[in-house]
Amino acid sequence: MKVVIAPQSFKGSISALDAAKAMDEGVRRVVSDVETVLVPVADGGDGTLETLVEATGGAIRSVTVTDPIGRPVTAEWGALGDGGTAMIEMARTSGLALLSLDERDPLGTTTYGLGEVIGEALDAGFRSFIVGIGGSATNDAGAGMAQALGVRLLDETGNDLPPGGAALADLRRIDTSGLDKRAVEAQFSVACDVSNPLTGPEGASAVYGPQKGATPDIVTQLDAALKNFSKVVERDIETSINDVPGSGAAGGLGGGMMAFLGGSLRAGVDIVLDQVGLDEKLEGADLVITGEGQVDFQTVYSKAPIGVAWRAKERGIPVVAVSGSLGQGFGDVHAEGIDAVSSIVCAPMTLEEASTRGGELIADAVAEAIRFMQVGSRVFGRSG
């Protein structure tokens, strides 16, 4: 019997790798003659860096870069175990969580620090990149990132633009002759789980600007600036980004990654599952066990357990999930390939207690799930 164990982290409690180890323990309590394959997974959001580093036997590195408002910040990035791929979460260089409420300013915040981390990884010899772009504090369409890598964004007098999304209204010419040639040669997979275009009522400024501190007037100003940016990009780089789904992600960084670095926008879970080689590991499997901190109606929107289930179902493999809790609409996951789901919480307890005991509770829940499967096999197998 072969069981593939592929959970996401239980946020605030246990990493994806430790959750997988706990699930493995639960399986082995009940079944001794079993082959288990542990495949920690993530969806491109929080925890993806640690998950991919752990899953591939890589290492976390750190570098001091520029934060969204120009201060130095220490940012971690991942050197994956293949020796050639770097994992970067832009939230660690240019994220909203780095700022206090009164520091939020999408007119002036910059992605310059992201470009600095990319440069650091290029210096270290990496030429394949996975970039998660959720949680941004910026609305500059990756302009700062591009400037950090040698691109010049020029106004009508030939001067370089200052940081921030507002400055893009003054963009008249893009000079890519100084772009780091190593970045041009590299491959960038961009974890992007939204379909917003760059501008308009569903664009970066209108949808995400307010949470970054934009008033209605500022939203209008930023949207106009991004429209100007897209026109200059189309003329000078010969790349049309304005209406591409996902180009509005992270304040237009999705579009900027496409324009400046030839980045491909993909669902984060697909990038991660490809990186950890899930398809190959599913071959010959009899059962898949997955899970996350809470299974609810949101799980079906490209969360890691659903991504795992989709790939398992392509091969006809049954899938069960355990989670910290079951929220509203948790049954929606059945239509997406998760055959059964249960909570690890076995008695009244606080969230703190459940988080502290995460590994123990996961192992217990998986052991009981396997026992239920054995009972079901005997009962229904005999009656069928």
Side-chain angles (χ1 to χ4, degrees):
M1 180 181 185
K2 177 180 177 180
V3 179
V4 172
I5 298 174
Q8 187 170 4
S9 66
F10 287 50
K11 191 173 182 180
S13 173
I14 189 170
S15 72
L17 178 60
D18 287 338
K21 291 177 178 177
M23 291 176 176
D24 181 56
E25 177 187 336
V27 171
R28 293 181 181 281
R29 285 183 194 173
V30 185
V31 184
S32 57
D33 184 18
V34 61
E35 174 193 356
T36 55
V37 180
L38 277 56
V39 193
V41 297
D43 60 14
D46 291 346
T48 298
L49 171 60
E50 288 81 6
T51 296
L52 284 179
V53 166
E54 288 181 337
T56 64
I60 290 179
R61 302 186 183 185
S62 63
V63 60
T64 299
V65 297
T66 304
D67 84 350
I69 57 175
R71 302 172 301 196
V73 62
T74 300
E76 293 182 330
W77 61 280
L80 303 192
D82 64 2
T85 303
M87 167 63 203
I88 301 171
E89 292 181 4
M90 72 86 63
R92 304 194 184 214
T93 67
S94 317
L96 203 58
L98 299 174
L99 305 180
S100 64
L101 284 174
D102 60 1
E103 290 173 335
R104 297 182 181 186
D105 174 25
L107 294 170
T109 45
T110 178
T111 53
Y112 196 90
L114 173 60
E116 291 178 305
V117 174
I118 292 172
E120 174 81 3
L122 290 170
D123 288 344
F126 292 86
R127 295 295 182 270
S128 177
F129 290 80
I130 298 170
V131 183
I133 61 173
S136 76
T138 58
N139 208 92
D140 74 347
M145 172 201 70
Q147 289 172 316
L149 292 170
V151 175
R152 297 191 67 193
L153 305 177
L154 307 170
D155 63 18
E156 62 184 2
T157 61
N159 292 318
D160 293 286
L161 295 185
L168 297 178
D170 298 322
L171 179 65
R172 297 296 179 269
R173 186 166 65 88
I174 299 174
D175 179 1
T176 60
S177 63
L179 176 61
D180 192 320
K181 295 301 187 290
R182 301 169 303 173
V184 175
E185 297 165 357
Q187 294 184 329
F188 290 85
S189 293
V190 184
C192 175
D193 292 314
V194 301
S195 57
N196 304 80
L198 186 64
T199 65
E202 300 299 321
S205 306
V207 175
Y208 304 110
Q211 70 190 39
K212 302 173 187 181
T215 64
D217 287 344
I218 290 176
V219 165
T220 300
Q221 180 182 353
L222 289 171
D223 192 58
L226 288 181
K227 285 179 182 176
N228 179 62
F229 171 78
S230 69
K231 291 177 182 177
V232 180
V233 164
E234 186 163 7
R235 185 195 68 207
D236 291 358
I237 305 182
E238 299 182 348
T239 302
S240 179
I241 61 173
N242 190 70
D243 298 319
V244 176
S247 61
L253 178 59
M257 294 290 297
M258 293 172 57
F260 297 118
L261 299 176
S264 60
L265 309 185
R266 299 180 60 204
V269 64
D270 287 334
I271 293 175
V272 173
L273 297 186
D274 286 349
Q275 183 66 37
V276 300
L278 180 66
D279 289 339
E280 178 183 350
K281 292 167 183 175
L282 286 172
E283 294 301 324
D286 300 290
L287 173 68
V288 172
I289 303 175
T290 186
E292 64 172 336
Q294 175 165 291
V295 171
D296 57 24
F297 69 94
Q298 299 180 80
T299 301
V300 301
Y301 296 107
S302 297
K303 292 294 186 70
I306 292 298
V308 170
W310 286 343
R311 298 194 182 201
K313 285 307 171 185
E314 289 176 354
R315 295 163 174 80
I317 307 169
V319 180
V320 298
V322 297
S323 68
S325 61
L326 301 178
Q328 180 182 358
F330 73 87
D332 294 351
V333 302
H334 299 321
E336 301 297 329
I338 296 180
D339 298 293
V341 58
S342 64
S343 169
I344 67 172
V345 177
C346 56
M349 65 181 68
T350 64
L351 176 61
E352 180 180 6
E353 180 183 358
S355 296
T356 301
R357 296 175 58 194
E360 168 198 345
L361 295 173
I362 289 170
D364 290 345
V366 168
E368 292 307 309
I370 297 295
R371 293 182 186 280
F372 273 119
M373 284 183 242
Q374 290 178 327
V375 171
S377 177
R378 292 197 297 270
V379 172
F380 295 104
R382 183 172 64 239
S383 63

